[in-house]
Amino acid sequence: MQIKTANADTINEAAALLKAGGLVVLPTETVYGLGANALDGQAVARIFEAKGRPQFNPLIVHVPDIEAAAALVELNEDARRVAGKFWPGPLTLILPRREDCPVSELCSAGLPTLAVRVPAHPVARAVLQAAEVPIAAPSANRSGHISPTTPKHAAQSLGEAVDMILAAGVCDVGLESTVLDLSGPRPAVLRPGAVSAEEIAALLDCDVSYETEAKDNAPKSPGQLLRHYAPGIPVRLNAVDLHPGEALLAFGSDKFMGIKGGGAAKDLPDSARCNLSETADLHEAAANLFRMLHDLDHPDHKAIAVMPVPEQGLGRAINDRLKRAAAGAGETI
Ligand code: TXA
Ligand code: MG
């Protein structure tokens, strides 16, 4: 991995790497981001691996302008007003995904919403223009480290896990973007940042709550306020065979998977049988996880039986989500 100073050539190089599924650290006006092509589930899976995140938290998707955001999410009237005033800038909007949203479901961690932001940094904007794809980018630090505001910090935190670091000095804002949830009945700030709830309230002429404080005694990070996706039918983990009426979420070969009382998994209809990765590739499995859970989540099925996924690398994050899915619907952590 090399730290390269941003110029026309290195920006094109970064864009080409991103298009090809690579990971590029890029500057934004808030903090450095760890970018990947948001349309490519396997590239997005690599973000979680590089960060060493044992969980799939939803990611912010960066786009060049409002119209590019409108292709991904349902921009309601409030969203258009707020975006019109604060974009490009340090504000992220949580909005319902469009039905035809092409962004990997891994960016939404299975939720019906997507976080979008138009960054103001000229290098981030140039990369977005050149890459011609939306870019998913969490802060460019390993899980548990603080967000990097210099290329050196990003390099120290992520080391060899990325393909390129595009350097453009110290970030102006130095604090992550404000996260504003406009997907619910009332606007709510989930993470404070340079754009304040008061400014948003004045613009929208309504109350905007801060939902960053824990109501109970446990300290909570913004990620912990999230609702997590859970299917409407039971999820049975570490399945070595199928019960009648169950759908199968396989990992690796399901050739020898039998159905109790008779039959084989391979005879199930396609609607009741998905494989996270036939070759047991954890990147592919991560990229497929939420889409396949959604596909199998149908009242025709008694439950979703999930074959064991190894508890290593991305497998830990996959198992974390599967355990939450198995624990019950719509829980908040
Ligand atoms: O300034 C920033 O926002 C930087 C730069 C790189 O753009 N990015 C950043 O990303 O801080 P990250 O992943 O470190 O933080 C994203 C925050 C998390 O708290 C996450 O839980 C929340 O946004 N978030 C993302 N998608 C969400 C969704 N669909 N619903 C609720 N919260 C969401
Ligand atoms: Mg972060």
Side-chain angles (χ1 to χ4, degrees):
M1 177 275 305
Q2 264 187 302
I3 301 185
K4 294 192 176 172
T5 303
N7 59 38
D9 289 342
T10 54
I11 284 170
N12 282 334
E13 198 184 323
L17 276 170
L18 285 164
K19 264 195 202 166
L23 291 186
V24 175
V25 171
L26 71 166
T28 83
E29 73 280 24
T30 57
V31 299
Y32 274 80
L34 173 57
N37 179 354
L39 306 180
D40 178 345
Q42 295 207 38
V44 176
R46 286 189 63 203
I47 290 180
F48 293 97
E49 190 176 44
K51 283 185 73 89
R53 246 189 210 176
Q55 287 137 9
F56 292 130
N57 292 330
L59 302 175
I60 299 172
V61 172
H62 300 70
V63 288
D65 50 41
I66 295 186
E67 289 325 306
L72 310 182
V73 291
E74 305 282 356
L75 279 186
N76 52 37
E77 206 182 306
D78 282 354
R80 284 199 179 268
R81 276 174 80 179
V82 176
K85 176 154 168 91
F86 296 108
W87 280 355
L91 177 69
T92 294
L93 300 181
I94 311 287
L95 290 162
R97 288 173 68 104
R98 279 176 62 122
E99 197 137 339
D100 58 355
C101 177
V103 165
S104 160
E105 290 194 39
L106 199 47
C107 291
S108 296
L111 296 169
T113 55
L114 185 68
V116 286
R117 171 160 114 79
V118 176
H121 196 291
V123 173
R125 300 182 63 69
V127 173
L128 284 167
Q129 296 290 354
E132 298 175 307
V133 291
I135 295 175
S139 48
N141 52 281
R142 271 189 79 78
S143 181
H145 293 204
I146 55 166
S147 298
T149 52
T150 68
K152 210 173 120 206
H153 285 163
Q156 283 166 348
S157 193
L158 292 170
E160 297 302 308
V162 300
D163 298 305
M164 179 180 176
I165 294 182
L166 200 54
V170 179
C171 301
D172 280 350
V173 178
L175 197 71
E176 299 94 335
S177 62
T178 304
V179 176
L180 176 65
D181 186 355
L182 291 177
S183 70
R186 277 181 313 278
V189 168
L190 304 185
R191 181 174 74 183
V195 176
S196 70
E198 289 74 16
E199 284 177 277
I200 297 161
L203 181 69
L204 297 180
D205 197 19
C206 71
D207 286 343
V208 175
S209 58
Y210 270 109
E211 292 193 1
T212 57
E213 293 292 315
K215 300 228 164 35
D216 54 23
N217 47 17
K220 290 191 177 181
S221 72
Q224 290 178 294
L225 290 161
L226 283 170
R227 278 171 59 81
H228 286 290
Y229 166 70
I233 58 175
V235 173
R236 189 167 66 82
L237 302 180
N238 296 317
V240 291
D241 56 13
L242 282 170
H243 300 172
E246 281 183 336
L248 172 65
L249 185 58
F251 178 80
S253 171
D254 64 2
K255 215 161 104 190
F256 300 110
M257 195 89 178
I259 302 175
K260 272 192 173 157
K266 61 178 166 46
D267 301 324
L268 288 173
D270 285 349
S271 59
R273 180 182 175 222
C274 288
N275 200 323
L276 290 168
S277 170
E278 283 175 26
T279 57
D281 176 317
L282 289 168
H283 293 95
E284 189 185 8
N288 284 333
L289 177 65
F290 292 110
R291 180 174 54 83
M292 290 184 174
L293 280 171
H294 275 130
D295 285 352
L296 295 176
D297 183 7
H298 194 279
D300 280 357
H301 306 141
K302 276 200 183 131
I304 302 171
V306 188
M307 284 171 68
V309 175
E311 185 74 4
Q312 64 193 44
L314 277 175
R316 282 164 60 219
I318 294 172
N319 284 325
D320 172 75
R321 276 306 144 126
L322 286 171
K323 274 182 219 145
R324 291 178 200 280
E331 101 269 33
T332 313
I333 58 156

